[in-house]
Amino acid sequence: MTKLSVNINKIATLRNARGADNPNVVKVALDAERFGSQGITVHPRPDERHIRYQDVLDLAKVVTTEFNIEGYPDKRFMEMVRLVKPAQATLVPDPPTAITSNNGWDTISNQGMLKDIVAELHESGVRVSIFINPEVKYFEPAKLTGTDRVELYTEPYASNYHKDRDAAVKPYVEVAEIAKALGLGINAGHDLDLHNLAFLKQSIPYLAEVSIGHALVCDALYYGLENTIQMYRRKLE
Ligand SMILES: CC(=O)[C@@H](O)[C@H](O)COP(=O)(O)O
Ligand SMILES: NCC(=O)COP(=O)(O)O
């Protein structure tokens, strides 16, 4: 089974646009779970432009599915994860100014640093996933960090899907086989949507989890959140 984790960053973007509490991110997270989401993902960024650190603390008290916190493992992120102890922390190499995540880790040059961070997170009982590009050279070094999973950065897949989906998915299938052989769990995310999701799942049936935010929230404007979550779930059957 491939789990769907709904990323609620964009709900917080909408909330922040008016400075009050509408929509309420905790309520949306609980409703998303009720509607079939099997996890809640947040990516608090240092400028708190969408998810705030306080949101993470509030969500941690009530989320009953898999809580996944993404981010660059700076001091504040690590303190928060140690405090909250989510089911999973996804380490992303974004600089503080990044508009959105646009690259995976160079697990060769950052191997030592990642190894220390992974060990620290494991001490808190948190499963770790490392955001990674679909390039073969990064997978053995990723394994050596001690990470439990990798999250395949799917923006290149998504942007090439409509041109040639077989070519778009090929590097992902290749690295997924390597990750599987190394005993790494495989997550995927970024720009996945109702068009490209099913083919990714068919191509990598043993995907453990996808985290989806931007497109899912956009689709919810048309179909409603409950229908939309069900539509995404069906793509993963
Ligand atoms: C780690 C990742 O893939 C991102 O997609 C991220 O969580 C989205 O972040 P934004 O919502 O800030 O664009
Ligand atoms: N890890 C990817 C994620 O959480 C959501 O990415 P996107 O669907 O907002 O592009």
Side-chain angles (χ1 to χ4, degrees):
M1 183 184 69
T2 304
K3 283 189 176 177
L4 170 66
S5 183
V6 172
N7 180 319
I8 58 169
N9 291 352
K10 291 288 149 50
I11 303 299
T13 304
L14 190 58
R15 186 258 331 257
N16 295 354
R18 279 287 168 97
D21 195 28
N22 187 22
N24 177 286
V25 293
V26 169
K27 181 177 184 321
V28 173
L30 295 179
D31 287 337
E33 290 182 320
R34 195 159 52 83
F35 298 153
S37 182
Q38 296 150 306
I40 297 295
T41 290
V42 291
H43 188 148
R45 293 186 180 273
D47 61 7
E48 300 192 282
R49 64 175 173 269
H50 42 56
I51 291 292
R52 301 178 184 137
Y53 288 82
Q54 185 60 47
D55 292 328
V56 178
L57 304 183
D58 295 343
L59 287 161
K61 290 185 200 132
V62 295
V63 167
T64 54
T65 58
E66 186 194 284
F67 193 31
N68 174 40
I69 307 181
E70 302 183 330
Y72 181 85
D74 61 10
K75 192 163 170 282
R76 196 172 180 194
F77 178 89
M78 291 299 284
E79 280 169 6
M80 186 185 56
V81 172
R82 270 196 301 267
L83 182 67
V84 161
K85 297 189 184 21
Q88 177 173 272
T90 300
L91 307 178
V92 184
D94 292 350
T97 51
I99 290 174
T100 187
S101 307
N102 56 14
N103 217 347
W105 285 98
D106 176 342
T107 55
I108 302 164
S109 59
N110 292 293
Q111 194 183 125
M113 183 269 248
L114 287 169
K115 198 172 172 183
D116 292 346
I117 297 281
V118 171
E120 213 177 311
L121 292 167
H122 280 166
E123 270 171 38
S124 297
V126 176
R127 186 176 74 222
V128 183
S129 180
I130 287 182
F131 198 57
I132 192 165
N133 294 337
E135 291 178 57
V136 172
K137 65 181 179 187
Y138 292 133
F139 282 75
E140 284 198 10
K143 175 69 181 174
L144 294 174
T145 66
T147 192
D148 306 282
R149 293 190 185 181
V150 288
E151 177 175 328
L152 306 178
Y153 171 48
T154 48
E155 191 278 337
Y157 165 71
S159 60
N160 291 318
Y161 176 84
H162 291 287
K163 283 177 236 154
D164 180 345
R165 68 180 198 170
D166 292 311
V169 87
K170 196 164 175 269
Y172 292 85
V173 173
E174 189 185 358
V175 296
E177 283 298 317
I178 293 169
K180 184 155 75 104
L182 289 167
L184 291 166
I186 304 165
N187 296 343
H190 205 93
D191 278 344
L192 294 176
D193 63 22
L194 285 172
H195 303 287
N196 61 37
L197 183 58
F199 186 64
L200 184 73
K201 162 71 183 175
Q202 281 161 30
S203 306
I204 311 173
Y206 46 87
L207 260 185
E209 173 189 300
V210 290
S211 49
I212 308 184
H214 184 84
L216 188 151
V217 171
C218 295
D219 290 328
L221 294 175
Y222 288 91
Y223 306 123
L225 188 59
E226 182 166 9
N227 280 331
T228 302
I229 289 174
Q230 288 300 315
M231 288 161 85
Y232 275 82
R233 285 283 306 271
R234 285 199 288 277
K235 299 288 180 189
L236 295 168
E237 281 170 0

